[in-house]
Amino acid sequence: IENNPYILCEKIDGISFVTADTIAGNMGFSKNDVKRIKSGLKYIFHRGALNGHTFLNEEMILSYGVNGLDVSETEIHNALITLVSEYEIIKEFKDEEIYYLPIYYTAENDIAGKLLFMNIDKGKNLFYKRVFDDIFSINNIVLAEKQKKAIEEVLSNKITVITGGPGTGKTT
């Protein structure tokens, strides 16, 4: 702990980065200490995950890092490179460079693999069309074309994600 008080927030549930940072400050650690910046970056990733982000791009990391940790972009960038080289952060290139904590990288890839596996060998079930046409007709239910297409997708695929804002007919 004397060498790295930030280990507290990384190893003990209930001790936040903010608490560890206060302890470190009281022990004389500088706000520019690389241990602080690395731990702060991991904290930023965990906070991002709480807001639904399994990864962050470099722009987000730099912005959150500079504002949240009160250090320079260069210091953030250097700490990020170090975390990647130490395998504490995973860097991937999609449309841009994105960064993950390993736990979220693994989870996202596992889920993607399972979804792909589940969707293999999909076959069209045309029986539903006649049944639902009858049900809608008997109950005087009129659907928009997009709603009909959504029903066809749900019944024809093992996995379907239906999105849309309020009032767009998802529940119908």
Side-chain angles (χ1 to χ4, degrees):
I1 294 173
E2 289 177 359
N3 183 43
N4 183 4
Y6 296 99
I7 199 84
L8 293 169
C9 64
E10 295 178 20
K11 300 292 183 186
I12 301 174
D13 286 336
I15 297 182
S16 70
F17 170 78
V18 175
T19 301
D21 199 32
T22 300
I23 293 168
N26 291 337
M27 292 173 64
F29 279 78
S30 162
K31 71 176 183 175
N32 303 85
D33 190 293
V34 70
K35 293 172 190 161
R36 176 182 184 268
I37 299 169
K38 287 168 42 179
S39 185
L41 286 176
K42 289 186 268 186
Y43 171 75
I44 288 167
F45 276 90
H46 284 295
R47 296 291 300 175
L50 292 174
N51 289 312
H53 302 291
T54 56
F55 66 85
L56 299 174
N57 65 27
E58 190 165 7
E59 181 182 334
M60 294 168 78
I61 296 165
L62 292 174
S63 174
Y64 296 151
V66 168
N67 293 323
L69 299 174
D70 193 28
V71 295
S72 72
E73 281 191 10
T74 301
E75 290 170 299
I76 298 292
H77 182 75
N78 290 341
L80 184 60
I81 290 170
T82 301
L83 287 168
V84 170
S85 72
E86 294 171 345
Y87 304 104
E88 293 189 60
I89 298 288
I90 295 174
K91 176 181 174 181
E92 192 173 69
F93 189 82
K94 301 241 183 203
D95 294 331
E96 61 183 331
E97 289 180 353
I98 57 175
Y99 299 84
Y100 296 82
L101 285 173
I103 190 170
Y104 299 117
Y105 179 82
T106 301
E108 189 170 279
N109 280 284
D110 285 352
I111 291 167
K114 288 176 183 174
L115 288 172
L116 285 171
F117 180 76
M118 288 172 65
N119 209 33
I120 291 174
D121 192 33
K122 68 176 187 175
K124 293 286 183 190
N125 178 357
L126 299 178
F127 177 70
Y128 77 87
K129 184 160 179 48
R130 192 180 71 205
V131 172
F132 276 92
D133 285 345
D134 290 345
I135 290 171
F136 294 140
S137 176
I138 291 168
N139 293 296
N140 294 321
I141 298 172
V142 179
L143 298 175
E145 285 305 312
K146 285 186 178 183
Q147 289 172 312
K148 290 178 186 176
K149 179 70 175 156
I151 290 171
E152 179 182 334
E153 289 297 319
V154 166
L155 296 173
S156 299
N157 297 292
K158 294 178 183 177
I159 302 164
T160 305
V161 177
I162 300 175
T163 64
T168 58
K170 297 180 300 296
T171 304
T172 305

